[in-house]
Structure formats: structure tokens, C-alpha cells
């Protein structure tokens, strides 16, 4: 499997995995290891709530994966920037997955606040991975600010609906050919992840689809295979679609009475 870049660091696994909602710490650990992901996202709020109990942070460190802190649950620029600064201190990384929720009903990101917070954090030296909708202009504005990585959603968080608007995602890929693009949120099935990679996305990030499965460990294995299949399919370049049937077996050499 070829590699892709996240702010200058190279990764081979195109599956980024979350660390929430698992039925137990042991299932979380086994699922993460089975996925062969190289990046795991964590919430500082989750870490704080678990600090006195299951030693969540130690479990994450034991995986040896690159940690991507997130600002999940933030609703204002000030709140997101403050949490990002705290994450940098706690997790010793300038990476931040920037989440800024604008609507409680479908947890849709606030595009205006997202741009403002991104500008502040980039100026402070953060490597920002903004979670956004599949709006082309918003993605272009984030790229103009200096984001090397963008994370448009496939569907609202936790819905498992897959890629609601493949056309938008395809346009973003075509218009931003040199940026690392990761589909984040809304995936439910391995086939959804495969489709994202077939569109040319560099990777997918998901949590609920694995943590909420009947058998998270087996599902993590399925997603691992799906992203590999999607990437190989994209690299191989699929045959063009046709509106009429076309025989796969040539008629040359057939008896003449079969060709009439």
C-alpha cells in the first residue's frame, strides 16, 4: 500500500480510528490493533472523564499510534481554541482535529466559526485538520488559510448513512488535487469507506461504525480491507461506464452462422 502525507508525516494505513463508544477498554484496544490504523483520535474531555477510572490514556499510549486530539463538543471559537491549547499541553502534539458544532440537531459544523478558529490556531503554530461539511467553497477557504489537510463529512456524525453527496466530494477532490483529503463522519459500512477511497480520498476517519458494531473487532478488520480495496481500485483506474452493452468475448473466429 502506498503512503499519504499529513503535514509532512507519511502514513501507510488509510484508516484513522476513533477511541470512543466501545463496549469495554479491551475491545477498544483489540479493535484499534486489528484495524492496523496508524492514527487514533482522542477527546480531551473523554480523557479527563476517564482519568480517575480505566486509565484510558495509558491504553492509547500503549498502542503506539500517532495521537490526533479533537475538540469534539465545542460550540464557540473561544471554547475550541482554548481546548486546542489544552490538548497541545496534555498530548504533546500540535496536531488538532478542529470540530466546531453549529447545529445540535445533526451536529453540523459551523462554517463561519470554523474559519475563524482555524485562522487563530494556524497563527499559533497548530497543524489544523478541520472537520467540515462537503461544501466546496468552504474547503477552498480553509485551504487558502493554510490547511494542508481537510476533513469533509460523508454524512452527519453517527448516522452511518455513508456518502450522502458523492458529487460534492468528487468536486472537492478535483478542485484540491494537492491537498490531503480525509472523509470524516457518517460512514456505517465498509463499502462506504471503499467508495470514499475510490473517489480519490486519501483516507477515512471513523468511530461509531466500528465501536457500535455487534463485533467491533471483526468490523475493524472489514474496514481495514475496505480502504485497501478502495485505494487499489482508485490507483488501478476503473473502466469507463457505457450506456449500451458491450461483449467481453470477441466474435472473431466464430462460425459465420453464429455471426448473422
Amino acid at each position: 500500500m502506498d503512503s499519504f502525507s499529513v503535514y509532512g508525516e507519511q502514513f501507510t494505513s488509510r484508516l484513522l480510528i476513533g477511541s470512543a463508544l466501545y463496549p469495554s477498554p479491551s475491545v477498544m484496544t483489540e479493535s484499534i490493533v486489528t484495524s492496523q490504523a496508524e492514527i487514533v483520535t482522542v477527546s480531551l474531555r473523554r480523557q479527563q472523564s476517564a482519568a480517575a477510572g480505566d486509565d484510558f490514556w495509558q491504553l492509547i499510549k500503549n498502542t503506539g499510534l500517532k495521537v490526533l486530539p479533537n475538540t469534539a463538543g465545542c460550540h464557540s471559537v473561544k471554547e475550541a481554541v482554548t481546548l486546542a491549547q489544552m490538548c497541545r499541553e496534555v498530548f504533546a502534539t500540535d496536531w488538532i482535529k478542529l470540530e466546531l458544532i453549529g447545529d445540535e440537531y445533526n451536529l453540523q459544523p459551523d462554517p463561519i466559526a470554523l474559519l475563524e478558529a482555524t485562522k487563530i490556531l494556524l497563527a499559533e503554530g497548530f497543524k489544523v485538520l478541520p472537520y467540515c461539511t462537503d461544501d466546496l467553497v468552504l474547503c477552498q477557504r480553509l485551504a487558502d488559510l493554510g490547511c494542508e489537510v481537510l476533513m469533509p463529512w460523508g454524512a452527519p456524525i453517527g448516522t452511518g448513512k455513508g456518502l450522502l453527496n458523492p458529487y460534492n466530494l468528487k468536486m472537492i477532490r478535483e478542485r484540491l488535487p494537492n491537498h490531503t483529503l480525509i472523509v470524516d463522519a457518517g460512514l456505517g459500512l465498509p463499502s462506504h469507506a471503499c467508495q470514499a477511497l475510490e473517489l480519490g480520498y486519501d483516507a477515512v476517519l471513523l468511530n461509531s461504525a466500528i465501536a457500535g458494531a455487534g463485533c467491533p473487532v471483526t468490523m475493524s478488520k472489514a474496514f481495514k480491507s475496505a480502504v485497501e480495496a478502495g485505494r487499489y481500485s482508485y490507483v488501478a483506474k476503473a473502466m469507463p461506464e457505457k450506456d449500451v452493452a458491450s461483449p467481453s468475448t470477441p466474435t472473431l473466429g466464430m462460425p459465420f452462422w453464429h455471426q448473422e
Side-chain angles (χ1 to χ4, degrees):
M1 182 64 65
D2 57 343
S3 63
F4 71 105
S5 174
V6 179
Y7 284 102
E9 296 188 41
Q10 299 297 314
F11 298 91
T12 302
S13 173
R14 293 173 181 273
L15 174 59
L16 286 68
I17 195 167
S19 55
L21 304 175
Y22 288 90
S24 70
S26 61
V27 171
M28 178 196 74
T29 302
E30 189 175 0
S31 299
I32 291 174
V33 171
T34 301
S35 74
Q36 295 188 14
E38 296 172 292
I39 300 173
V40 60
T41 183
V42 297
S43 167
L44 180 59
R45 289 174 171 168
R46 168 72 172 81
Q47 158 66 8
Q48 287 176 322
S49 65
D54 58 12
D55 201 12
F56 169 80
W57 178 224
Q58 188 59 48
L59 289 174
I60 293 296
K61 287 200 292 186
N62 289 345
T63 67
L65 272 60
K66 175 79 177 185
V67 172
L68 172 59
N70 65 63
T71 61
C74 289
H75 293 76
S76 70
V77 172
K78 181 178 180 181
E79 189 180 14
V81 169
T82 300
L83 189 59
Q85 293 166 338
M86 293 172 64
C87 285
R88 182 155 62 181
E89 296 298 322
V90 172
F91 299 110
T93 177
D94 52 8
W95 280 24
I96 190 72
K97 178 192 167 189
L98 182 58
E99 294 185 35
L100 249 165
I101 300 304
D103 181 79
E104 278 297 336
Y105 181 73
N106 68 354
L107 303 179
Q108 181 165 331
D110 182 332
I112 299 170
L114 183 66
L115 287 170
E116 185 178 348
T118 297
K119 187 175 182 179
I120 294 171
L121 291 173
L122 287 172
E124 293 186 6
F126 281 91
K127 295 178 172 62
V128 181
L129 292 83
Y131 163 62
C132 57
T133 58
D134 54 10
D135 184 280
L136 172 60
V137 175
L138 173 59
C139 288
Q140 288 176 321
R141 296 292 180 269
L142 289 166
D144 291 344
L145 287 176
C147 292
E148 297 180 13
V149 182
L150 304 173
M151 305 181 76
W153 71 2
I157 294 173
T159 60
K161 291 182 175 297
L163 308 185
L164 290 183
N165 200 328
Y167 173 81
N168 276 16
L169 292 171
K170 185 179 179 182
M171 287 300 102
I172 293 169
R173 177 70 285 175
E174 291 182 1
R175 297 292 291 157
L176 297 169
N178 298 319
H179 281 73
T180 296
L181 300 179
I182 301 171
V183 168
D184 179 16
L187 306 186
L189 295 170
S191 56
H192 300 156
C194 186
Q195 185 184 10
L197 272 291
E198 287 178 330
L199 288 174
Y201 276 70
D202 296 285
V204 296
L205 190 156
L206 53 92
N207 191 146
S208 302
I210 292 178
C215 181
V217 175
T218 301
M219 189 59 82
S220 72
K221 184 183 298 183
F223 270 100
K224 170 185 174 293
S225 298
V227 296
E228 290 176 350
R231 180 60 184 175
Y232 284 133
S233 174
Y234 177 72
V235 171
K237 302 187 185 306
M239 61 166 279
E241 289 187 7
K242 299 176 182 177
D243 292 329
V244 296
S246 176
S248 57
T249 303
T251 56
L252 184 65
M254 291 182 64
F256 67 89
W257 57 87
H258 283 177
Q259 298 185 28
E260 293 179 346

